[in-house]
Structures are given as structure tokens and as C-alpha cells.
Amino acid sequence: MVTALLYGLGTAVPLLVGAAIGLRWTLPRALLASLMAFGSGTMIAAVSSELFAPAFHQAGVLIAGAALFAGAGVYVVANHLIETRLGPAAIGWALMLGTILDGVPENTALGVSLTAGGGLVLLVAVAVGNVPEAIGGAALMRREHDFERARAFGLWAATGAALVLVTVLGNSLADNLSPTHISTVQAFAGGATIAVLADSLMPEAYREGGWWVGMATAAGFLVAFVLQD
């Protein structure tokens, strides 16, 4: 339980730090783009190694694939609804939505994976990915939607608290979940993460940083991959 709490805090604290930075300062576009791209690389490694691969090997392509598409579909539809209502300025809300939709199943999977002694790569990937998501999302909420800083930070703090809670709950319920249920959660989290990367995080990184952000993405992937060994 204590370990799950610490892992949950390990994903929530970077989120709050990123939100505070985004609400207080305007970072250089190149730096923000690099952070987003680096976080994208770590999340790509985590999806393949910590989320979808174990789900695929345990539950098979039908169950794991269905859960993957379900996770992606939930994010894509929700993101589309936000963009339809708010227009191009919705990217800040979209990044926050992505943090919630991929963070909840990811942190649930993180809590579950602790029972088998794993989760380090996923922890690093989520933590690193949360920083630029929160910086970018909070900054855009402040600039485009004229949010009060206290209100915006409160929303991100509530998101962080939810991530800690689901990590602890996932760890507590792990013994009562079947391997197939665990695999479904993992694959769903992987699908939501892929959709966040494709729809929000990576396009925004490219828009802000240009063609060279691919190098930062590769660096993030390498760091996460090395942590697996």
C-alpha cells in the first residue's frame, strides 16, 4: 500500500509541478516542444513494453486488441467533442483530458503491476509525460481561456489526486482481479495513451518545435527502454 501511494505520488507531483510552471511562466517554445517530444518517446516505450505486450501475451489479440481500440476510441471521441465545442483553442483542455483518460487506466495498471514487482518504466514514462502535458495544458488554459490561476491549478490538483487514488485502488484490488481483467486494463490504457500521443501531444510538439523534435522523441524512448533492463 505504501509503495503504491509513493508510485501514485510519483506521477501526480510532476503533474502539479508542470501545471504550476505553465500557469506562472511562459517557457521558450523550443524547450516546451522538447519536453513534449521526450515525454512522447518514454510513453511509446511504456505502451509497448509495460501495457500492451503483457496484455497481448496473456489475453490474446482479440481481447487485448478490443481493449486497445476501446481506450483509443474513448479519448478520440471525447477530444473531438471538446474541439467541436471550443474550437482550435481546445488543445489545453485536450491535454488535460488526455492526462485523465490515459492517466486513470495507466495508474490503475501501475498499481496492479506493483504486485509483480514491475512498474518502474511505466512510472518514469507517466511522470515524464505528465510534466509537458501539464505545462502545455495549463499554459494554454491560461492564455486561450483566461482561467484564473487558482481555479486552473485546482483542476490539475484534483486530477493528480485522482491519479494517486486509482494507483492505490489498483494495487489493493489486484489480488481480486483475474489476469484477463488486468490485461484489459493494461491494453485500454495503452490505447488511450496512443490516442493522446497521436491527437494532442506529438502534433503540439511538432507545431512548437519543428522537424528536429524527432530527436527528443528518440531520446525519451531510449531512456525508457534502458530502464527495462
Side-chain angles (χ1 to χ4, degrees):
M1 182 72 71
V2 175
T3 301
L5 178 61
L6 292 175
Y7 269 61
L9 289 172
T11 65
V13 171
L15 187 77
L16 298 183
V17 171
I21 292 173
L23 291 170
R24 178 65 180 84
W25 294 287
T26 300
L27 295 183
R29 295 175 62 184
L31 176 58
L32 181 58
S34 296
L35 289 172
M36 287 183 175
F38 187 90
S40 298
T42 64
M43 293 167 73
I44 291 170
V47 168
S48 59
S49 64
E50 296 259 333
L51 294 176
F52 190 72
F56 178 83
H57 292 303
Q58 191 283 320
V61 65
L62 292 180
I63 293 177
L68 182 83
F69 279 105
V74 167
Y75 175 78
V76 168
V77 171
N79 186 40
H80 176 71
L81 292 176
I82 287 179
E83 289 182 344
T84 300
R85 181 175 179 181
L86 299 180
I91 184 65
W93 280 105
L95 290 175
M96 185 174 179
L97 172 68
T99 303
I100 296 172
L101 288 182
D102 73 320
V104 169
E106 274 180 357
N107 279 57
T108 302
L110 178 61
V112 169
S113 67
L114 291 176
T115 60
L120 179 59
V121 174
L122 184 56
L123 170 63
V124 172
V126 173
V128 172
N130 280 350
V131 173
E133 278 189 274
I135 292 175
L140 288 166
M141 289 169 75
R142 170 173 56 87
R143 295 200 310 263
E144 304 293 343
H145 301 286
D146 198 26
F147 262 71
E148 293 183 1
R149 290 178 180 174
R151 181 189 173 196
F153 187 79
L155 291 172
W156 287 98
T159 301
L163 297 184
V164 174
L165 179 61
V166 298
T167 305
V168 174
L169 287 177
N171 183 253
S172 301
L173 298 174
D175 291 336
N176 299 319
L177 295 176
S178 70
T180 300
H181 288 151
I182 293 173
S183 295
T184 301
V185 171
Q186 290 174 319
F188 184 95
T193 301
I194 290 172
V196 172
L197 292 172
D199 284 11
S200 300
L201 199 56
M202 296 182 77
E204 187 68 13
Y206 183 84
R207 243 187 327 264
E208 294 292 321
W211 58 271
W212 56 268
V213 295
M215 300 302 295
T217 306
F221 178 86
L222 178 61
V223 169
F225 188 83
V226 168
L227 289 173
Q228 297 176 48
D229 297 327

